Amino acid sequence: MKKKGNTCIVGLTWGDEAKGKIVDILAAEHDIVVRYNGGNNAGHTVAFEGETYKLHVVPSGLFHANATCVIGGGVVVDPKALVDEIVRHEGKAAGLRQRLLVSSRAHTIWPWHTRLEALSEKHQGKGKIGTTLRGIGPAYADKANRVHAIRMGEFLAPEHLRAKIERIVENRNLVFTKVFGEEPMSAAAVWAEYEPLGKTLAPMIADTTAYLLRAAAEGKRILFEGAQGTLLDIDHGTYPYVTSSSASAAGIWPGSGVPSRAIGQILGVVKAYTTRVGEGPFPTELRNALGDQIREQGHEYGTTTGRPRRCGWLDTFAIRYAARLNAVDGIVITLLDVLSGLAELKICTGYTVDGRPVAEFPDDPTVLERARPVLETLEPWSEKLTAARQLKDLPRAARAYVKRVEEAVGAPVRIISVGPDREQTIFRR
Ligand code: IMP
């Protein structure tokens, strides 16, 4: 198996690191782009030729006519969201239906999942996770529980699927009516809506594990696109305020079938500051005018839900943990331009808990809740960065910021993004 040309792009924080732009750029030099985790909870933004495209479940390589796009078995697919997205973008993504493969092993999201999640979050009140309400958690729970799960491959046997949906809805209705005191749902209505979606998707359903292993053996270059970020990883993130999938590079093997030893390069993506959506501890959060300024300058509102993102200083202590966990070869800093014009500039290099410094990123959410950031002050800059194309185009203070981040995280900075467009990118060899 050849590994040199295969790359992974993974978020090192709580998602929204602008990975979509980086995947779009790197897709030009890969043959295949693979999503391996999450579902349409993700929001990846790609901008070129003056237009902005928002993607949720189709890999961000779709705009390159040479790239085969694969939705791996580790993804949970909402068939309705997927068909919507194909229809919305196929005008700009030439031949998309012919070069999009959806794993027959991928699990699926149904109306009972989204409804159950909405009820559950509502009933949690203050203790809610703050999810995207896309049915992600209930779909992964059914996958693990097996009894009421449906995989994409089952769309290829419609009669079997129809009967299964009847069985599942009968069972779910017990939960809706007896636990939540809500109205039952109709299996016939679900089938009427989803049968045509299944027919649309059927030609794209394939054994993508076999396809990818063959492609890797032939030396085709594969780009793995992580959704969300390492701190939202179900096993390694800030549990329970995480998503339900393996959002770190650890998800590639189970989520695509391609063994991790086939990956040549892992690039971890961070913003020049840190954001988080939903509930959960966030030690460097700025609940003040500076946080608001970063939110406005960075347009920090969710791509999927429109929720305002919580903003704070760059947390290199958390990122260092994530960089080690993913064994990154380098990091990508995005949205550096957003920091222009701030009155002060800080990064977090460690935490104290109950007044004492901690050696490792806390594994316990109650400890993380009590963590206070150790902040280092750096020189701010006022110049706009959006026209920079090489490192030397950046003002001295911005170059010093990049260098300090590199030292604090312990990994070289390979790419710097200074704006949403493909062109607004600085590459370091
Ligand atoms: P879920 O993935 O919808 O279950 O949401 C669980 C947590 O992950 C919530 O805090 C969400 O805000 C967060 N989350 C899920 N997807 C994304 C994403 O693409 N970017 C940022 N946060 C996300």
Side-chain angles (χ1 to χ4, degrees):
M1 179 156 315
K2 302 195 176 77
K3 68 184 241 174
K4 203 157 172 276
N6 300 331
T7 309
C8 164
I9 293 295
V10 65
L12 296 185
T13 59
W14 287 284
D16 304 320
E17 297 96 348
K19 298 178 292 293
K21 164 178 166 166
I22 306 304
V23 170
D24 168 61
I25 291 174
L26 296 183
E29 50 192 63
H30 289 80
D31 303 297
I32 303 166
V33 185
V34 185
R35 256 291 290 276
Y36 60 85
N37 76 294
N40 59 320
N41 49 348
H44 294 171
T45 306
V46 174
F48 59 95
E49 294 165 3
E51 296 287 337
T52 300
Y53 304 90
K54 295 191 188 301
L55 311 169
H56 299 285
V57 66
V58 175
S60 304
L62 80 164
F63 297 116
H64 294 273
N66 60 313
T68 300
C69 293
V70 173
I71 296 177
V75 174
V76 282
V77 178
D78 179 331
K80 200 162 168 241
L82 176 56
V83 170
D84 277 355
E85 205 166 315
I86 293 169
V87 170
R88 193 161 350 113
H89 296 303
E90 62 189 342
K92 196 73 190 172
L96 181 60
R97 288 181 201 231
Q98 286 72 49
R99 54 189 178 83
L100 176 64
L101 298 177
V102 185
S103 174
S104 51
R105 293 180 175 86
H107 281 253
T108 47
I109 302 176
W110 295 82
W112 52 88
H113 291 129
T114 41
R115 192 169 171 206
L116 191 63
E117 183 171 26
L119 288 168
S120 150
E121 282 280 274
K122 193 168 134 223
H123 280 255
Q124 288 299 320
K126 268 189 145 223
K128 68 177 183 178
I129 306 278
T131 73
T132 62
L133 299 176
R134 296 298 186 271
I136 304 294
Y140 278 114
D142 274 347
K143 171 180 177 174
N145 201 32
R146 294 149 299 167
V147 187
H148 297 125
I150 298 173
R151 305 202 299 176
M152 282 302 295
E154 291 174 76
F155 275 116
L156 302 177
E159 279 317 309
H160 143 90
L161 182 55
R162 180 192 194 135
K164 188 167 179 180
I165 286 172
E166 274 170 20
R167 277 202 317 277
I168 294 174
V169 169
E170 194 183 326
N171 175 281
R172 298 289 89 178
N173 277 341
L174 293 176
V175 178
F176 291 131
T177 58
K178 298 205 186 306
V179 177
F180 291 104
E182 298 275 329
E183 292 298 308
M185 67 190 336
S186 147
V190 171
W191 182 244
E193 188 176 11
Y194 281 70
E195 188 191 18
L197 297 170
K199 282 196 176 131
T200 304
L201 294 173
M204 296 168 234
I205 298 171
D207 179 350
T208 57
T209 300
Y211 168 79
L212 289 171
L213 290 175
R214 221 170 28 240
E218 287 165 3
K220 292 227 170 85
R221 297 193 65 185
I222 308 174
L223 179 60
F224 296 92
E225 173 179 23
Q228 290 85 43
T230 303
L231 302 181
L232 287 174
D233 184 282
I234 180 84
D235 294 297
H236 305 289
T238 53
Y239 194 91
Y241 299 102
V242 293
T243 189
S244 306
S245 70
S246 298
S248 63
I252 294 177
W253 196 339
S256 72
V258 180
S260 29
R261 66 195 303 179
I263 298 159
Q265 179 182 217
I266 299 180
L267 292 178
V269 188
V270 298
K271 278 192 240 211
Y273 46 95
T274 304
T275 63
R276 164 157 221 182
V277 223
E279 309 304 316
F282 179 8
T284 65
E285 183 170 14
L286 289 165
R287 294 181 208 217
N288 57 20
L290 254 171
D292 296 341
Q293 187 182 352
I294 295 175
R295 182 178 311 107
E296 292 316 309
Q297 291 186 189
H299 312 293
E300 292 295 351
Y301 294 88
T303 311
T304 300
T305 59
R307 290 181 291 177
R309 295 180 184 140
R310 301 156 66 191
C311 298
W313 297 125
L314 186 72
D315 187 343
T316 66
F317 189 61
I319 294 168
R320 195 180 176 91
Y321 158 71
R324 274 164 51 208
L325 189 83
N326 288 291
V328 300
D329 297 285
I331 55 177
V332 178
I333 300 181
T334 62
L335 293 122
L336 186 64
D337 53 300
V338 171
L339 295 183
S340 295
L342 297 186
E344 52 175 320
L345 189 55
K346 295 185 179 172
I347 60 169
C348 163
T349 55
Y351 297 158
T352 57
V353 174
D354 305 332
R356 274 189 231 102
V358 294
E360 296 288 347
F361 184 74
D363 56 347
D364 177 339
T366 62
V367 174
L368 191 60
E369 206 60 82
R370 300 201 309 279
R372 298 289 166 264
V374 176
L375 295 174
E376 186 176 308
T377 301
L378 298 174
E379 190 187 335
W381 61 87
S382 55
E383 298 91 331
K384 288 204 179 336
L385 309 186
T386 47
R389 297 294 176 268
Q390 299 181 52
L391 201 64
K392 67 177 172 52
D393 300 337
L394 295 176
R396 191 183 44 77
R399 288 202 308 272
Y401 188 82
V402 170
K403 185 153 179 286
R404 185 66 191 103
V405 171
E406 215 163 37
E407 287 164 4
V409 173
V413 172
R414 293 274 170 77
I415 302 175
I416 301 165
S417 171
V418 291
D421 204 87
R422 279 179 186 165
E423 306 298 317
Q424 294 172 302
T425 313
I426 298 170
F427 294 92
R428 286 171 88 196
R429 293 295 160 201

